[in-house]
Amino acid sequence: MSSHSDSYRRGPMLFRGDKIPSVTADASLLAPDQGSAWSREDPWRVMRIQAEFVEGFGSLADLGPAISVFGSAREKPDSPWYSKGVEVGKLLCDAGFGVITGGGPGIMEAANKGAHEAGGTSVGLGIELPFEQGMNEYVNQGISFRYFFVRKMMFVKYSLGFIVMPGGFGTLDELFEAITLVQTGKVKSFPIVLVGTSFWGGMMDWVHESLIGQGMASPADELLITLVDTPEEAVNAVAKGIHELAANTRNHASKDGAAGKPSAGGFGKRTK
């Protein structure tokens, strides 16, 4: 993995030495006080953003059924969570799914490693960051993005469900965006599985007691999440959810003559 001082990737481009940019494309897009410069620069940005969508759609169109695995970039190969990430990747491929991660180190690398060692599809969706992470060595299909929102679209569009392992703010961002898209009906319900009751249990208690307890969310929203402890439970839960949602869609189609919105089924249970 190259350090920031050695090399830097922005989309398809590689920079080294004094050519390394001082700000990311996202930071440049969101920078305040740009004056009238936006009128000249932003139309070209739109073209770059469009190109990223086209590249992502074209690269992933034939991916097949896949599950996104999220988790901390900081976990080391000798950590228990890294080992569980490897097992999750392997079991997903054994169940017939490809694995999609952010392509970086830690739990992302672990899930890609499990998929790679199982002979399955191991996808990495990288992102330009102020520090260079690079694509981990277990990715066999990788795409690097300039813009977070384009990358997020690819995670949702090409995944049948999410398995979320312990992680930091980036993992929370991905988790709650997925929940919001399902809750608001922007995407059809798909299984969202959290791994690790010791890590996620406090957050789920807060959701139940504060968000739902104080009327900030509805009781049904809690049912959008399944909390488990082992890789086997995680893969079984996501596969079960996909099959239930497919059956619900078929039932709605046969009754109404058109596919309706699948229900959340039996999600929300904590399994031991």
Side-chain angles (χ1 to χ4, degrees):
M1 181 171 63
S2 300
S3 70
H4 174 64
S5 60
D6 294 330
S7 64
Y8 187 93
R9 290 193 177 275
R10 172 174 285 175
M13 295 182 292
L14 174 68
F15 299 93
R16 288 193 171 125
D18 61 3
K19 297 298 184 182
I20 294 174
S22 59
V23 295
T24 67
D26 262 338
S28 179
L29 172 65
L30 299 173
D33 302 324
Q34 297 187 56
S36 62
W38 69 268
S39 65
R40 297 184 298 276
E41 295 175 1
D42 279 11
W44 291 105
R45 282 201 185 103
V46 170
M47 298 298 290
R48 288 197 299 269
I49 292 167
Q50 180 180 349
E52 286 208 342
F53 277 113
V54 171
E55 182 179 6
F57 292 154
S59 299
L60 299 172
D62 298 322
L63 177 62
I67 304 297
S68 285
V69 180
F70 300 113
S72 174
R74 303 186 184 194
E75 290 296 306
K76 304 301 182 186
D78 59 353
S79 79
W81 286 118
Y82 187 100
S83 298
K84 288 186 178 184
V86 173
E87 188 66 12
V88 165
K90 178 182 182 300
L91 291 173
L92 283 171
C93 288
D94 289 344
F97 299 105
V99 172
I100 305 174
T101 79
I107 289 174
M108 293 176 283
E109 176 184 291
N112 286 133
K113 179 179 180 181
H116 176 78
E117 292 180 346
T121 300
S122 177
V123 177
L125 305 182
I127 186 68
E128 179 194 357
L129 295 171
F131 46 89
E132 174 68 13
Q133 287 188 338
M135 200 74 71
N136 72 66
E137 62 182 307
Y138 302 106
V139 168
N140 56 35
Q141 183 175 348
I143 311 171
S144 292
F145 294 95
R146 290 181 175 91
Y147 300 101
F148 266 112
F149 58 88
V150 180
R151 180 185 186 230
K152 287 180 177 181
M153 168 68 81
M154 301 304 155
F155 277 124
V156 174
K157 181 170 176 60
Y158 293 103
S159 298
L160 296 177
F162 287 174
I163 292 178
V164 187
M165 303 188 70
F169 288 122
T171 301
L172 291 172
D173 175 51
E174 290 152 345
L175 167 62
F176 280 102
E177 178 154 15
I179 294 170
T180 301
L181 289 171
V182 175
Q183 179 207 42
T184 57
K186 294 296 184 182
V187 297
K188 292 182 178 179
S189 296
F190 60 96
I192 300 169
V193 180
L194 306 183
V195 184
T197 54
S198 62
F199 186 88
W200 296 109
M203 184 193 76
M204 292 303 297
D205 290 340
W206 173 77
V207 168
H208 180 76
E209 295 168 8
S210 295
L211 293 189
I212 295 173
Q214 298 182 42
M216 308 293 180
S218 91
D221 294 334
E222 191 176 14
L223 303 178
L224 300 174
I225 307 168
T226 302
L227 182 57
V228 303
D229 271 315
T230 69
E232 292 82 3
E233 290 170 337
V235 174
N236 288 340
V238 79
K240 180 181 180 225
I242 290 166
H243 293 149
E244 287 179 349
L245 294 167
N248 288 337
T249 300
R250 287 194 297 270
N251 289 339
H252 279 283
S254 63
K255 289 178 181 178
D256 304 332
K261 182 180 182 295
S263 70
F267 294 114
K269 298 183 296 235
R270 297 191 185 191
T271 63
K272 295 287 185 181

